[in-house]
Amino acid sequence: MTNNIIEPAKELPVRASADVLVIGGGPSGIMAALAAAEDGANVMLIESRSFVGGNMTIGLPILGFLGQKGNQIIKGLPQKYIDRLKAIGASSEHRPCPLHMSLTLVEPEAVKTVALQMLVEAGVNILFYAFCAGVVKEGDELKGVIIESKAGREVVLSKVIIDCSGDADVAFKAGVPCEFGNEQGGVQPPTLMFCLGGVDTEKLRLSIAEEPRTYLTDFIPAEYFGQNNQFVLVGMRNLINQAKEEGLSLPTERTILITGLRKGEIWVNMTRVNGVNGTDPASLTRGEIEGRKQIEDIQRYLVNYVPGFENAYFLKTAPFLGIRETRRIKGQYTMDRDDIMSCRHFEDAIAVASYPLDIHHPVGGGCTLEWCGDCYDIPYRSLVPQEVKNLLVAGRAISTTHEAMSAIRVMAPCMAMGEAAGRAAKMAVKQGIQPDAIDVKALQQELLEKGAYLRIPQETTI
């Protein structure tokens, strides 16, 4: 029996044509589509799920709106989106955090609705339930994407395509050179988030503030919990160790908890499934099964060891595994750890970020954090892939090393990259040129005029 089947060639119907086609409706994809459609361009957004929002819908706070010095460094369209959420009580302020620089708590269900409203208002043509199955390419120019759905295989043609899949799906299928994980191919493990209700968050935070030796937290001083009703908790390693010694199976070394916007809700970021390949459905399935299995002992641990959880009950799991890392493209410039740690300026900067190097180790349950002390630029060249034209990439799949990706992967920088990619694609279409040929100074000027934050004009290096 052969291991390969030859699929007969067939003509594929063209479902649609667009000026700009965005693949993936997560944080970067939403912003890319909104930015590209701002001046009336024909923009299409394709998302494989039944909703937009991506990782903003799994119970995580949005990290990275503020820099390490407390100043706001992500503005523009991402801030307009937060303002829309805040108007209906579905987002907190950007709150300084000693560990993560800043937290912006959002209500997962509202994220879906508000983002969809904004896309519809902008005139974006949205298609759910469709996967990127291949590409249409002439020479080194990408002409469109082959999609797969219950309607079969179809084609969407576009002048410029923005890959916001998070996994470089379009770029990989188009032949862009890609890297995967660290030097050994290991990736940061995913997490299946889940939410508990009935938590006495006041008892939790005051226990930490008043008994810091018992409830020891990582990096975050006990005084922080005395001053903040909504917070992220990372630590309590001693309680984890005690619970393990007493027979519980816990996959992580630290307790990681996030208060929800609703009273008594806590989102738990403690499952870890090592060795999951986020581009392989069998591996993802194993991750979902193992993640759900881990929840049982994690919930027992919280109820029996952590103050405030005595009457907690299970509410819900996230709709999918939170994937931290898969493919990264090789672009015209590859960001590395030195760019992060030296707070580097770039002449072609299109976003500013400040989140630390944050590596959840591919093996074991540990995590390493390193802060640069201020913020660093993300260059446009890292969004421009090698070898393939008519394509931009935004989000965690841009051109970085494994280490640098651990810093730029969080949602606020991804949103800023998406806005820049959308504006760049729109400029390329208007001028009839390739995205790598646009005037980056003009892109920077438009970003600034639309409210984005850039560290220019200053002395820069390239």
Side-chain angles (χ1 to χ4, degrees), residues 72-127:
Q72 184 169 346
I73 56 171
I74 306 291
K75 298 181 179 180
L77 277 178
Q79 182 59 47
K80 289 183 179 179
Y81 176 58
I82 295 299
D83 290 343
R84 286 281 291 263
L85 289 170
K86 284 169 65 177
I88 59 169
S91 173
S92 70
E93 301 290 333
H94 305 311
R95 299 187 173 170
C97 174
L99 185 61
H100 300 99
M101 302 310 99
S102 72
L103 311 168
T104 309
L105 305 177
V106 292
E107 176 54 44
E109 292 304 317
V111 159
K112 303 174 186 177
T113 302
V114 171
L116 189 58
Q117 288 172 345
M118 293 178 71
L119 290 165
V120 170
E121 290 167 9
V124 175
N125 181 10
I126 303 158
L127 184 66

Side-chain angles (χ1 to χ4, degrees), residues 197-199 201-202 260-265:
V199 181
T201 55
E202 284 296 285
L261 287 174
R262 294 173 179 164
K263 183 177 175 61
E265 281 190 0

Side-chain angles (χ1 to χ4, degrees), residues 71-370:
N71 56 317
Q72 184 169 346
I73 56 171
I74 306 291
K75 298 181 179 180
L77 277 178
Q79 182 59 47
K80 289 183 179 179
Y81 176 58
I82 295 299
D83 290 343
R84 286 281 291 263
L85 289 170
K86 284 169 65 177
I88 59 169
S91 173
S92 70
E93 301 290 333
H94 305 311
R95 299 187 173 170
C97 174
L99 185 61
H100 300 99
M101 302 310 99
S102 72
L103 311 168
T104 309
L105 305 177
V106 292
E107 176 54 44
E109 292 304 317
V111 159
K112 303 174 186 177
T113 302
V114 171
L116 189 58
Q117 288 172 345
M118 293 178 71
L119 290 165
V120 170
E121 290 167 9
V124 175
N125 181 10
I126 303 158
L127 184 66
F128 290 136
Y129 301 108
F131 283 88
C132 169
V135 298
V136 179
K137 193 176 167 191
E138 293 179 4
D140 61 357
E141 291 193 11
L142 200 56
K143 297 296 185 180
V145 167
I146 300 169
I147 60 171
E148 184 95 42
S149 71
K150 288 183 181 291
R153 289 167 75 87
E154 301 171 297
V155 173
V156 178
L157 300 174
S158 185
K159 297 172 183 173
V160 176
I161 297 165
I162 309 176
D163 185 343
C164 295
S165 64
D167 303 311
D169 287 341
V170 181
F172 179 74
K173 288 177 171 65
V176 174
C178 292
E179 295 182 338
F180 190 97
N182 60 17
E183 292 178 356
Q184 292 75 42
V187 296
Q188 298 190 56
T191 292
L192 182 62
M193 298 285 293
F194 67 97
C195 184
L196 300 179
V199 181
D200 187 343
T201 55
E202 284 296 285
K203 180 177 180 180
L204 173 62
R205 76 178 185 89
L206 293 175
S207 296
I208 300 167
E210 295 168 4
E211 301 177 64
R213 291 188 178 182
T214 303
Y215 305 112
L216 185 64
T217 57
D218 291 7
F219 303 104
I220 304 177
E223 302 79 50
Y224 169 82
F225 296 95
Q227 299 164 1
N228 292 277
N229 292 317
Q230 294 173 323
F231 51 86
V232 167
L233 182 157
V234 180
M236 295 187 174
R237 295 170 185 258
N238 55 332
L239 298 186
I240 291 265
N241 291 335
Q242 181 185 343
K244 287 180 177 178
E245 289 170 2
E246 294 175 1
L248 290 183
S249 177
L250 302 173
T252 181
E253 301 171 352
R254 307 173 301 165
T255 308
I256 307 177
L257 307 171
I258 305 146
T259 54
L261 287 174
R262 294 173 179 164
K263 183 177 175 61
E265 281 190 0
I266 287 277
W267 284 92
V268 184
N269 182 355
M270 291 177 64
T271 67
R272 291 287 185 281
V273 189
N274 289 336
V276 171
N277 178 347
T279 65
D280 175 10
S283 188
L284 283 167
T285 301
R286 179 183 72 82
E288 293 278 355
I289 293 169
E290 176 61 25
R292 289 177 186 274
K293 182 180 176 182
Q294 291 177 5
I295 287 173
E296 295 178 16
D297 270 12
I298 294 171
Q299 185 174 351
R300 290 192 187 102
Y301 157 70
L302 293 171
V303 169
N304 293 316
Y305 292 85
V306 180
F309 283 84
E310 294 82 0
N311 299 310
Y313 53 87
F314 190 85
L315 277 179
K316 54 193 168 186
T317 54
F320 55 87
L321 275 172
I323 302 295
R324 290 186 172 89
E325 179 179 17
T326 55
R327 304 184 192 104
R328 306 182 309 277
I329 66 162
K330 287 190 176 181
Q332 292 186 353
Y333 181 85
T334 299
M335 291 184 69
D336 60 24
R337 68 168 286 124
D338 290 339
D339 293 330
I340 307 292
M341 297 307 293
S342 67
C343 303
R344 189 168 180 190
H345 288 269
F346 287 99
E347 197 171 272
D348 61 336
I350 47 80
V352 178
S354 187
Y355 193 72
L357 296 173
D358 178 7
I359 300 178
H360 296 250
H361 299 307
V363 178
C367 182
T368 302
L369 288 117
E370 294 181 72

